[in-house]
Amino acid sequence: QKEVEQDPGPLSVPEGAIVSLNCTYSNSAFQYFMWYRQYSRKGPELLMYTYSSGNKEDGRFTAQVDKSSKYISLFIRDSQPSDSATYLCAMMGTSYDKVIFGPGTSLSVIP
Amino acid sequence: AAGVIQSPRHLIKEKRETATLKCYPIPRHDTVYWYQQGPGQDPQFLISFYEKMQSDKGSIPDRFSAQQFSDYHSELNMSSLELGDSALYFCASSLGLSSYEQYFGPGTRLTVT
């Protein structure tokens, strides 16, 4: 079993829909949780990071962390075709640890 | 804003050849990370450097070596290339050792034939 699990999709939604992307993890030592967006043939782009449990909002994006369930989510409101990409969750224990990535979820937003 | 620069963007090599990938971090960033990403895979951490010293090591084969230079750019040297080394190689940089805020470069696509 991998340390970080993520449904690979593909996930296809109509433009304007609310998208929910999720990851589960097994290592209770993880404290930092990140979401990256990766367009085809490009490098991952950091969207958001959160520390410990709770919510964080940035524009149309909301990240949630539930450490008791070892479950993190990324919500995208009013999804746009430009949001079509692979979304990778990533996490680490202390801020000096190596980052462990999930396998990524492929999202397509249909106009 | 300046981003991470990687060169070359594409590289084709034959088996048993060597390859050198270069990474120029965001200005003032002192930490560099190297990742390997196979098709449909998540990035796998290879190695990182902070202030020109190796700070962490992941699943980097012994055939690979890397270093960080005084101007903070880094080079990944790959020898005795194998077909399985074909992948996207990303470099990321951050300020300090806190690696939760890494910024990735566009990657080098290495094809070994």
Side-chain angles (χ1 to χ4, degrees):
Chain A
Q1 184 188 7
K2 293 192 73 171
E3 276 190 287
V4 181
E5 303 276 1
Q6 189 174 4
D7 187 338
L11 180 63
S12 185
V13 301
E15 184 176 354
I18 296 175
V19 177
S20 172
L21 303 167
N22 311 294
C23 285
T24 59
Y25 62 95
S26 57
N27 189 343
S28 58
F30 286 145
Q31 298 273 13
Y32 291 86
F33 304 91
M34 293 77 76
W35 284 97
Y36 284 84
R37 176 176 62 196
Q38 186 173 22
Y39 292 112
S40 180
R41 301 180 181 274
K42 303 284 189 183
E45 172 193 359
L46 179 65
L47 285 176
M48 305 176 70
Y49 67 85
T50 55
Y51 173 73
S52 196
S53 286
N55 296 355
K56 186 172 184 178
E57 189 173 321
D58 184 0
R60 296 184 295 110
F61 299 88
T62 299
Q64 285 187 353
V65 175
D66 181 350
K67 290 187 68 182
S68 62
S69 302
K70 298 191 182 69
Y71 187 89
I72 69 171
S73 301
L74 178 71
F75 297 96
I76 307 174
R77 290 183 299 280
D78 188 25
S79 55
Q80 303 294 309
S82 58
D83 295 328
S84 298
T86 295
Y87 289 79
L88 299 150
C89 64
M91 45 198 79
M92 53 202 296
T94 73
S95 63
Y96 304 107
D97 285 342
K98 59 175 68 72
V99 175
I100 307 297
F101 283 89
T105 298
S106 175
L107 170 68
S108 291
V109 180
I110 311 300
Chain B
V4 176
I5 297 172
Q6 289 187 248
S7 68
R9 294 294 311 279
H10 302 274
L11 190 58
I12 300 175
K13 290 285 185 178
E14 294 187 356
K15 279 172 53 177
R16 292 180 288 277
E17 285 192 319
T18 62
T20 297
L21 311 185
K22 296 185 179 183
C23 169
Y24 298 86
I26 290 172
R28 297 198 316 278
H29 281 192
D30 49 15
T31 307
V32 168
Y33 311 81
W34 285 98
Y35 292 86
Q36 178 191 61
Q37 187 175 32
Q41 310 260 318
D42 52 291
Q44 294 295 311
F45 172 73
L46 294 176
I47 195 166
S48 62
F49 293 88
Y50 167 68
E51 284 290 345
K52 293 150 278 186
M53 300 280 289
Q54 181 181 309
S55 55
D56 204 351
K57 192 172 180 179
S59 51
I60 184 169
D62 292 340
R63 299 177 288 109
F64 294 5
S65 65
Q67 57 181 323
Q68 186 179 33
F69 295 86
S70 57
D71 64 351
Y72 296 107
H73 95 271
S74 177
E75 295 184 4
L76 177 66
N77 299 293
M78 310 160 71
S79 62
S80 302
L81 287 169
E82 301 173 356
L83 295 178
D85 296 329
S86 295
L88 265 172
Y89 289 84
F90 290 108
C91 168
S93 73
S94 69
L95 183 60
L97 274 172
S98 296
S99 54
Y100 57 85
E101 198 168 358
Q102 295 180 34
Y103 294 88
F104 282 73
T108 294
R109 181 171 295 279
L110 172 67
T111 302
V112 181
T113 61

